[in-house]
Amino acid sequence: MPEKNILIAGLGLIGGSLARTIKSGHPDYHVAAYNRSQAPRYFAIQERIVDEVSDDFDALAVKADVIILNFPVQLSIQFLKTLATLPLKDNVLISDSGSTKLEIVTAAEEIFKGKAIRFIGGHPMAGSHKSGVIASDELLFENAYYILTTSALSQPADFEELKGVLVNTRAKFIELTAKEHDAMTAVTSHFPHVVAASLVDNAHDFAAIMPFTENLAAGGFRDMTRIAESSPDMWTEILMSNPDNIVYQIDQFSQKLADVKQLMLQRQSAEIWDFFDNARKLRAQMPIHKGAMENFYDLFISVPDKSDVIHEVLGYFAGHDLSIINIKINETRVEINGVLQITFKTENDQATAKRLILENSSYDVYQ
Amino acid sequence: MPEKNILIAGLGLIGGSLARTIKSGHPDYHVAAYNRSQAPRYFAIQERIVDEVSDDFDALAVKADVIILNFPVQLSIQFLKTLATLPLKDNVLISDSGSTKLEIVTAAEEIFKGKAIRFIGGHPMAGSHKSGVIASDELLFENAYYILTTSALSQPADFEELKGVLVNTRAKFIELTAKEHDAMTAVTSHFPHVVAASLVDNAHDFAAIMPFTENLAAGGFRDMTRIAESSPDMWTEILMSNPDNIVYQIDQFSQKLADVKQLMLQRQSAEIWDFFDNARKLRAQMPIHKGAMENFYDLFISVPDKSDVIHEVLGYFAGHDLSIINIKINETRVEINGVLQITFKTENDQATAKRLILENSSYDVYQ
């Protein structure tokens, strides 16, 4: 008899990765997965990511001690309604992994009112350009923020229980209200997506006047609009699920643009300089530079500017099975030397690589 | 007696790189450089980037057949005024490399009216995170757009002459009016800088309400605000030099945000989906994907997902002096295979690398 029965509902990148970490952290748990389509179920069972798969959600749900829903928010809310009609185990613990939290937490409070059901909204803030259970990864959540939302449907002990189940995600768990979560992600993620899409739209409009415009879109423009190619399904769902916060950001941001416009119309160069200097300083101070959201480990190596230096340095790693994510020559320093940045998936590999470089070369290594 | 006397005024990244390409394209030319401070002059003469250096602008100017000013716009205009007072050679050809064009071209037309002086505003649209003559590079402009501005101060033959001097930049020369240049760069570069700085400012404001906000700034937000750390001096100068176009973009963009706000307030999900889907399609169609602005050459190699694959592929290049700019494992495909992206500085190295990979492995290679 396993200690807990876990149900992962929705076998995509997030569901698959959660299943992997739960199983590896708790080999004695029984991890089952629901998925409507067959291919992810087949892959998950073949790869032993889970112990059991089915397209019968109800049958798996009634056996579960912990249920994690990995769907778009509206679909998750439909599953909450289904769950409320089933003879679930007493005090079953239900969570989700959606991008917005207030809508589902509010729905859960209403749907589960008076029932012996515990609910904690969750948002593991990790992702990959890969998608699907085929790309699922036990290390996906390592060092990522994993937001858990406080509500009337859970007590402090419930958070400890859920974090225990998810211990092997090695994520940084943060407890927030659903309102706080949605307000902050509107600033850092949802509204910036609207900006990126609007920048593309805007450049395209102007190209109707001067067609060569799109040829000049590069560099900063490229970086600022990359996320405009994200899934319209996902982002429509997010905007519909968090409209008040995003509208507030539109208002705040539009006022900022109006302020800059006034400075320009009045040719207030000192104030414009302050605006740019302030932004530069603020960004330099943001935790963004610590890469807190990245589950990766960097080494920075001062190297001479020669074309085979990457190959030379990698040669030092031969025979050690190091998980290299990325290699890049940075040109951020004024000196004639370049900086080779190598990104590792684990802290351990980072340490091994540092030792090998120091043993085999006279290059300076920073991390 | 050299065929032409060239004066490069301002020995930074751009001036130094222009000097290198002119000298390598025309070994018989005499290339002199003016710079106020001593260190760049010393470096340029030691490295044989130029034939002569001086801090006496006037003395070099009167000997020159071609003068290229590499300063911020306002300073370049001061030098134009100085030039108008000097006994220059008849029909001297003057150009610049500033980020905006209408202000300097208008000034030149006024300053040089009735004089035997030809002027063509220039903007080589290339750069590096490195700065200074020490980072100057003969290949900096390769395949980059190099805008030349038409005006009353030059004839078609003058453009051919200037392009001849600059032939070894291997840039893509584009003739535009100064107005066109400033309108288009407002869309693709100047206004996006205002947006990036405003996004940082906005997130910082909100952090006064919810301090954890800045911790959640990552991913898309990071990419969208990277240029907010650019030089406030340079960007203040650009805003002051191109206010009308940037104000126009602020108005256009604010209207777009207002439209999205209305869609959200009215919960028009189908229209929001169209907004995102349209932006996604537009960006996918932009020349941005062709890397037209990058003077780099990519190879994409389908590789198995194993940690030593980068080292293995680089091994095939051993002994060939290939100029690798960047190596990255992309995770953009759904398949289990990864895509190794290797960026080369020259088309030649790209071709050699492709041949070596096809000879030594069974990997698919795309470019």
Side-chain angles (χ1 to χ4, degrees), chain A residues 125 128-130 134 145 174 180 183-184 187-188 191-206 210 212-218 220-230 232-233 235-236 239-240 243-244 246-254 256-257 260-261 264 267 269 272-273 275-280 282-284 286-289 291 293-294 307 310-311 314-315 321-323 325-329 331 333-334 336, chain B residues 125 128-131 134 145 174 180 183-184 187-188 191-206 210 212-218 220-230 232-233 235-236 239-240 243 246-254 256-257 260-261 264 267 269 272-273 275-280 282-284 286-289 293-294 307 310-311 314-315 321-323 325-329 331 333-334 336:
Chain A
M125 299 182 75
S128 165
H129 289 293
K130 288 186 184 172
I134 205 166
Y145 286 113
I174 306 286
E180 287 170 336
M184 292 194 278
V187 177
T188 58
F191 173 65
H193 261 83
V194 173
V195 169
S198 299
L199 279 173
V200 171
D201 213 18
N202 199 48
H204 182 74
D205 283 358
F206 198 76
M210 295 189 186
F212 199 70
T213 305
E214 294 195 312
N215 291 82
L216 299 184
F221 188 90
R222 184 195 335 244
D223 287 346
M224 293 184 71
T225 57
R226 191 168 288 119
I227 55 175
E229 290 195 42
S230 307
D233 293 341
W235 285 98
T236 302
L239 260 64
M240 294 302 289
D244 295 349
I246 300 171
V247 164
Y248 176 79
Q249 291 304 320
I250 288 178
D251 289 342
Q252 294 293 108
F253 191 84
S254 298
K256 289 223 175 289
L257 291 185
V260 176
K261 174 180 168 177
M264 293 182 68
R267 302 295 190 270
S269 64
I272 291 174
W273 192 90
F275 164 71
F276 281 119
D277 187 55
N278 186 47
R280 186 173 64 94
L282 289 177
R283 192 180 188 282
M286 287 179 102
I288 225 164
H289 281 281
M293 285 289 296
E294 301 261 312
S307 66
I310 293 180
H311 189 249
L314 288 175
D321 190 31
L322 302 187
S323 55
I325 300 294
N326 203 352
I327 302 182
K328 193 164 70 168
I329 294 199
E331 304 195 334
R333 300 190 180 193
V334 180
I336 203 80
Chain B
M125 299 183 75
S128 165
H129 288 294
K130 288 186 183 172
S131 63
I134 204 167
Y145 285 113
I174 306 287
E180 287 170 336
M184 291 193 277
V187 178
T188 59
F191 172 65
H193 262 84
V194 173
V195 169
S198 300
L199 279 174
V200 171
D201 213 18
N202 199 47
H204 181 74
D205 283 359
F206 198 76
M210 294 189 187
F212 198 71
T213 305
E214 294 195 313
N215 291 81
L216 298 185
F221 188 90
R222 184 195 337 244
D223 285 347
M224 294 184 71
T225 59
R226 191 169 286 119
I227 56 175
E229 290 195 43
S230 307
D233 292 343
W235 285 98
T236 302
L239 261 63
M240 295 302 289
I246 300 171
V247 164
Y248 176 78
Q249 291 304 320
I250 288 178
D251 289 342
Q252 294 293 108
F253 191 83
S254 298
K256 286 221 178 292
L257 291 185
V260 176
K261 175 179 166 178
M264 293 181 71
R267 304 292 190 270
S269 63
I272 292 174
W273 191 90
F275 164 72
F276 281 119
D277 188 55
N278 187 47
R280 184 174 65 93
L282 289 176
R283 191 179 187 282
M286 288 179 103
I288 225 165
H289 281 280
M293 285 289 297
E294 301 261 311
S307 66
I310 292 179
H311 189 250
L314 289 174
D321 191 32
L322 303 186
S323 56
I325 302 293
N326 202 353
I327 301 182
K328 192 164 73 166
I329 295 201
E331 305 195 333
R333 300 191 180 192
V334 180
I336 203 79

Side-chain angles (χ1 to χ4, degrees), chain A residues 139-360:
Chain A
L139 297 174
L140 185 66
F141 309 107
E142 193 176 22
N143 285 324
Y145 286 113
Y146 197 132
I147 311 298
L148 298 177
T149 58
T150 52
S151 77
L153 292 170
S154 56
Q155 304 297 322
D158 304 327
F159 286 87
E160 294 316 307
E161 184 179 335
L162 184 56
K163 287 194 264 184
V165 170
L166 298 169
V167 65
N168 230 28
T169 58
R170 299 173 65 183
K172 299 182 203 161
F173 292 100
I174 306 286
E175 292 177 26
L176 299 171
T177 65
K179 272 192 181 176
E180 287 170 336
H181 171 277
D182 286 6
M184 292 194 278
T185 52
V187 177
T188 58
S189 169
H190 307 171
F191 173 65
H193 261 83
V194 173
V195 169
S198 299
L199 279 173
V200 171
D201 213 18
N202 199 48
H204 182 74
D205 283 358
F206 198 76
I209 307 171
M210 295 189 186
F212 199 70
T213 305
E214 294 195 312
N215 291 82
L216 299 184
F221 188 90
R222 184 195 335 244
D223 287 346
M224 293 184 71
T225 57
R226 191 168 288 119
I227 55 175
E229 290 195 42
S230 307
S231 153
D233 293 341
M234 177 174 169
W235 285 98
T236 302
E237 170 113 17
I238 288 173
L239 260 64
M240 294 302 289
S241 184
N242 195 19
D244 295 349
N245 286 303
I246 300 171
V247 164
Y248 176 79
Q249 291 304 320
I250 288 178
D251 289 342
Q252 294 293 108
F253 191 84
S254 298
Q255 186 54 52
K256 289 223 175 289
L257 291 185
D259 293 346
V260 176
K261 174 180 168 177
Q262 282 310 311
L263 295 179
M264 293 182 68
L265 290 177
Q266 295 159 18
R267 302 295 190 270
Q268 294 185 265
S269 64
E271 286 76 7
I272 291 174
W273 192 90
D274 287 343
F275 164 71
F276 281 119
D277 187 55
N278 186 47
R280 186 173 64 94
K281 285 182 185 151
L282 289 177
R283 192 180 188 282
Q285 289 159 5
M286 287 179 102
I288 225 164
H289 281 281
K290 294 181 201 139
M293 285 289 296
E294 301 261 312
N295 30 1
F296 301 138
Y297 300 87
D298 287 317
L299 283 185
F300 299 90
I301 307 130
S302 275
V303 292
D305 191 8
K306 53 181 187 170
S307 66
D308 58 348
V309 71
I310 293 180
H311 189 249
E312 174 196 328
V313 169
L314 288 175
Y316 305 148
F317 305 161
H320 299 262
D321 190 31
L322 302 187
S323 55
I324 294 172
I325 300 294
N326 203 352
I327 302 182
K328 193 164 70 168
I329 294 199
N330 288 322
E331 304 195 334
T332 48
R333 300 190 180 193
V334 180
E335 303 104 74
I336 203 80
N337 266 11
V339 175
L340 178 64
Q341 177 182 359
I342 307 184
T343 309
F344 300 90
K345 199 151 195 175
T346 70
E347 209 169 350
N348 221 13
D349 284 0
Q350 179 197 40
T352 305
K354 186 175 180 179
R355 179 176 57 74
L356 291 168
I357 295 167
L358 292 175
E359 280 173 14
N360 288 286

Side-chain angles (χ1 to χ4, degrees), chain B residues 19-29 138 164-165 167-169:
Chain B
R20 285 182 191 272
T21 60
I22 294 170
K23 193 70 199 165
S24 74
H26 308 280
D28 54 337
Y29 284 13
E138 197 189 317
V165 171
V167 64
N168 230 28
T169 57

